[in-house]
């Protein structure tokens, strides 16, 4: 143990907090509307906690079918009881089966998981750690046979490696990792592409699937689009600035209309250490992204993660990566036209005129919502014709105004302030420093934009804003309507004339999250929402084939909301709008990622990320959780196995569509 390892430990354990780095002077509209908003939620009720029973409506006493008929909810299931324990729970009448766990062999010759003797070579052939995004690419349109694509966002060494933790006054300190352990971490990042098939109503992994593949922090990739070849991307290993090894912190993502897998690179700052030389031209760029944070020790073993040795390497991360999963030998491409920031995800939809629109969130306090519109159009009859659509198009940043209009402002070199006078000498500079470009255009500073999901059925777009406790009363605006926003909210956008490629739309807040029985929280769930049905911290989301919205969360815990994270069904239509019901909940310490529905709505895939990462605040455990003493050993509950992040398959017992 040394001082450096303590720094690594403390910062890694606090990762993904979305600490703000937006120091731009964009107005927040606070002066204009604070009189309307800043006191309303706080004066609306007693500061005392009102009775929990107040949030349980008589509707909760009805059967699900009766309730559905009475309220017009689109969801028919008996909800799970919210709470905290060591296991996961799904609604009655459904099965929740573990499909893929960290360490599961993905190839016929891959070694079986042996956590006490794990190697990087083994990890490269096994399912990675901390599964986040889940996508499904059907074979010939099948809802029962295809490829599952899964991101592996980051690693938790205190839960992965035996003997790595020293407890100091009840707190975890990590011992330095060996180079082999660093290599295991790098191999546990990235993504997995896995053939799966449903046999007799149960999904199975096809271990020798011809397209099975691991993408890791070492996989060779190309940089394409406007920043490719920029001198700001050149390194000793890549003097052309067009080739990079690996992808990092792959949070959410998407599957394109042409069946490729896009992976979002989010919190890149943690992987870099060291200092730039004095007056280095990238200093302001890196400050805006919080680089370097130094959470990982990779730079002790690999020069490219040390700014003093490879000052341009951070410019080669923070992109959207496109992978062709149908060709396991294909070279993934970092599509620089979609900009460089802390990308949460990249869900897409085909616009009326055939152009393809990708909605993009930058997950940091006070950062922005974006969309990218391709220049070319989608050709449904010629897959090959679509394969470079992501290299040309327009990136837009959102301004949400107080009148309920959203304006998508183009980020184009030479237009408005994006000129050499402001340090943008080309479109390469614009996409490398998208945040600064957004600052100059006066984009709206949001409460941590996470998943953004277009809904092809109702034509709307749903923006998950997870929280922002740093927003002051003076910084409140209509699109971010709560100061000290601890529980997040969801915005619904309607693009003008239903044109996803357009440059304007309208918006409204669908839901302010948190406990609706506590008046000062200011939550806006419908009165039909039960004490189990409300949630905080919306993060990922999905729209099923019927057009229904499902929201998963990151940050519920015993202290903050008295419940674990989970998957909630959220009505968006009619009088049931803003009614939420709990369908599935995760074990202690986990966050809920995925979610994803198959095209027949008969299967939901969910990703249980970092189970067991926490537990000190849960009365059932009450101490720090680590490899030798985890708060849960889900999903195996075998003392010889660690707790493991896993993808879970949810199906209705006896078959049929979910929640119908
Ligand atoms: Fe990786 Fe923004 O969650
Ligand atoms: Ca997320
Ligand atoms: Ca998150």
């Amino acid at each position: 143990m040394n001082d450096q390892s303590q720094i690594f430990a403390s910062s890694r354990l606090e990762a993904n907090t979305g600490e703000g780095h937006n120091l731009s002077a964009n107005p927040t509209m606070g002066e204009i509307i604070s009189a309307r908003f800043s006191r309303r939620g706080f004066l609306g009720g007693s500061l005392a906690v009102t009775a929990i029973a107040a949030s349980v409506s008589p509707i909760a006493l009805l059967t699900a079918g009766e309730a559905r008929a009475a309220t017009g909810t689109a969801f028919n299931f008996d909800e799970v009881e919210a709470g905290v324990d060591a296991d996961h729970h799904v609604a009655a009448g459904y099965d929740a089966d573990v499909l893929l766990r960290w360490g599961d062999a993905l190839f016929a010759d891959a070694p079986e998981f042996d956590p006490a003797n794990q190697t990087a070579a083994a990890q490269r052939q096994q399912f990675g750690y901390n599964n986040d995004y889940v996508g499904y690419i059907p074979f010939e349109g099948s809802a029962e046979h295809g490829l599952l694509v899964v991101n592996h966002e980051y690693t938790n060494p205190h839960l992965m490696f035996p003997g790595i933790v020293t407890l100091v006054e009840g707190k975890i300190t990590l011992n330095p990792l060996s180079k082999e352990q660093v290599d295991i971490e790098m191999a546990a990042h990235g993504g997995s592409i896995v053939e799966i098939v449903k046999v007799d109503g149960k999904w199975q992994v096809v271990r020798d699937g011809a397209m099975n593949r691991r993408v890791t922090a070492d996989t060779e990739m190309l940089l394409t689009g406007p920043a490719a070849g920029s001198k700001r991307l050149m390194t000793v290993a890549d003097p052309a600035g067009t080739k990079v090894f690996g992808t990092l912190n792959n949070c959410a993502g998407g599957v394109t209309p042409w069946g490729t897998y896009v992976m979002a690179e989010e919190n890149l700052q943690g992987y870099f250490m060291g200092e730039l030389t004095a007056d280095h031209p990238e200093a302001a760029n890196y400050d805006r992204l919080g680089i370097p944070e130094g959470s990982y020790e990779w730079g002790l073993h690999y020069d490219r993660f040390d700014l003093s040795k490879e000052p341009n390497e951070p410019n080669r991360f923070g992109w959207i990566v496109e992978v062709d999963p149908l060709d396991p030998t294909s070279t993934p491409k970092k599509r620089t036209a979609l900009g460089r920031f802390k990308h949460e995800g990249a869900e897409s939809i085909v616009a009326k005129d055939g152009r393809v629109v990708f909605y993009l969130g930058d997950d940091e306090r006070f950062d922005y919502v974006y969309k990218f519109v391709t220049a070319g159009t989608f050709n449904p009859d010629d897959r090959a014709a679509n394969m470079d659509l992501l290299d040309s198009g327009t990136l837009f940043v959102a301004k949400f105004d107080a009148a309920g209009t959203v304006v998508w402002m183009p980020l184009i070199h030479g237009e408005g302030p994006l000129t050499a006078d402001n340090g943008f000498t080309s479109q390469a500079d614009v996409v490398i420093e998208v945040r600064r470009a957004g600052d100059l255009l006066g984009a709206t500073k949001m409460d941590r934009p996470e998943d953004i999901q277009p809904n092809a059925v109702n034509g709307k777009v749903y923006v998950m804003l997870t929280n922002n406790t740093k927003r002051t009363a003076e910084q409140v605006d209509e699109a971010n309507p709560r100061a000290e926003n601890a529980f997040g909210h969801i915005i619904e956008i309607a693009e003008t004339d239903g044109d996803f490629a357009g440059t304007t739309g309208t918006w409204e807040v669908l839901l302010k999250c948190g406990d609706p029985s506590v008046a000062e929280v200011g939550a806006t769930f419908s009165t039909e929402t039960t004490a189990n049905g409300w949630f905080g911290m919306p993060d990922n989301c999905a729209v099923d084939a019927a057009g229904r919205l499902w929201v998963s969360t990151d940050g519920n815990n015993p202290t903050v909301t008295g419940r674990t994270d989970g998957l909630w069904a959220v009505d968006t239509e009619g009088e049931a709008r803003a009614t939420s019901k709990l369908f599935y909940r995760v074990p202690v310490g986990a966050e809920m990622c995925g979610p994803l529905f198959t095209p027949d709505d008969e299967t939901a895939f969910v990703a249980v990320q970092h189970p067991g990462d926490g537990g000190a605040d849960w009365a059932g455990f009450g101490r720090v959780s680590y490899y030798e003493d985890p708060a849960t050993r889900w999903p195996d509950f075998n003392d010889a196995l660690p707790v493991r992040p896993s993808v879970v398959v949810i199906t209705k017992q006896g078959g049929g569509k979910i929640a119908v």
Side-chain angles (χ1 to χ4, degrees), residues 132 251 344 450 539-540 591:
D132 195 305
C251 191
E344 173 69 23
E450 300 249 27
D539 186 337
N540 299 122
E591 81 173 83

Side-chain angles (χ1 to χ4, degrees), residues 280-522:
H280 195 282
E282 299 296 351
N285 166 21
Y286 293 175
D287 279 351
R288 184 68 176 80
L289 288 154
I291 299 168
E293 185 182 73
S295 309
Y296 287 76
E297 295 158 73
W298 300 3
L300 297 177
H301 303 282
Y302 295 96
D303 286 354
R304 65 192 179 109
F305 297 111
D306 184 336
L307 298 187
S308 69
K309 296 169 181 164
E310 278 288 15
N312 285 345
E313 190 74 8
N315 281 337
R316 295 146 62 83
F317 294 88
W319 304 105
I320 294 291
V321 183
E322 184 176 22
V323 185
D324 181 1
L326 302 187
D327 177 2
T329 67
S330 62
T331 303
K333 292 173 176 162
K334 296 199 178 190
R335 301 294 192 180
T336 67
L338 282 74
R340 172 174 168 273
F341 46 87
K342 297 183 185 177
H343 277 286
E344 173 69 23
E347 297 283 5
S348 58
I349 192 162
V350 180
K352 289 174 177 177
D353 64 1
R355 289 182 291 165
V356 188
V357 183
F358 287 75
Y359 287 91
L360 309 165
D362 184 356
D363 182 6
E364 190 122 39
R365 297 180 181 114
F366 305 109
D367 265 292
Y368 306 136
V369 166
Y370 300 84
K371 75 176 177 184
F372 177 79
V373 182
T374 60
T377 56
F378 170 57
N379 184 340
D381 302 317
D382 182 0
R383 185 170 186 262
N386 304 308
M387 295 304 277
D388 288 320
L389 276 177
L390 292 184
D391 279 345
S392 311
T394 305
L395 184 64
F396 298 87
V397 66
K399 185 175 206 168
F400 294 85
D401 74 19
T405 302
V406 56
V407 178
W408 297 99
M409 303 182 292
L411 296 156
I412 298 173
H413 175 250
E415 292 193 6
L418 306 184
T419 61
D421 287 348
N422 287 313
F424 296 102
T425 62
S426 65
Q427 187 65 16
D429 289 335
V430 173
V431 296
I432 290 169
E433 291 190 79
V434 170
R435 284 183 169 185
R436 196 165 66 82
D439 297 344
L440 289 169
L441 266 62
T444 303
K445 299 176 177 185
M446 308 299 288
D447 287 346
R448 293 186 58 195
E450 300 249 27
D451 259 9
I452 305 175
Q453 182 72 50
N455 181 335
V457 176
N458 71 1
K460 307 285 178 56
V461 181
Y462 294 90
V463 183
M464 305 296 120
L465 296 155
T466 201
N467 61 22
N468 182 358
T469 53
K470 298 285 174 66
R471 187 176 292 275
T472 66
E474 292 69 35
Q475 292 173 314
V476 160
D477 60 36
E478 298 224 10
N480 300 277
R482 286 187 290 185
E484 298 175 29
N485 179 8
F487 303 104
H489 57 288
I490 299 173
I491 284 178
E492 180 185 69
I493 296 172
E495 302 279 27
T496 301
D497 298 327
D499 180 6
F500 293 104
T503 56
T504 62
T506 58
W507 62 270
E508 60 183 284
V509 174
L510 169 67
L511 192 53
K512 291 183 239 176
C513 305
D515 185 346
S517 74
V518 182
E520 61 265 34
V521 168

Side-chain angles (χ1 to χ4, degrees), residues 16-17 132 153 251 266-267 344 363 448 450 466 537-540 553-555 591-593 609-610:
N16 287 344
T17 55
D132 195 305
E153 186 177 22
C251 191
E266 194 187 27
N267 287 298
E344 173 69 23
D363 182 6
R448 293 186 58 195
E450 300 249 27
T466 201
M537 290 71 79
D539 186 337
N540 299 122
T553 60
D554 174 15
E591 81 173 83
M592 178 88 282
C593 300
Q609 188 181 120
H610 60 76

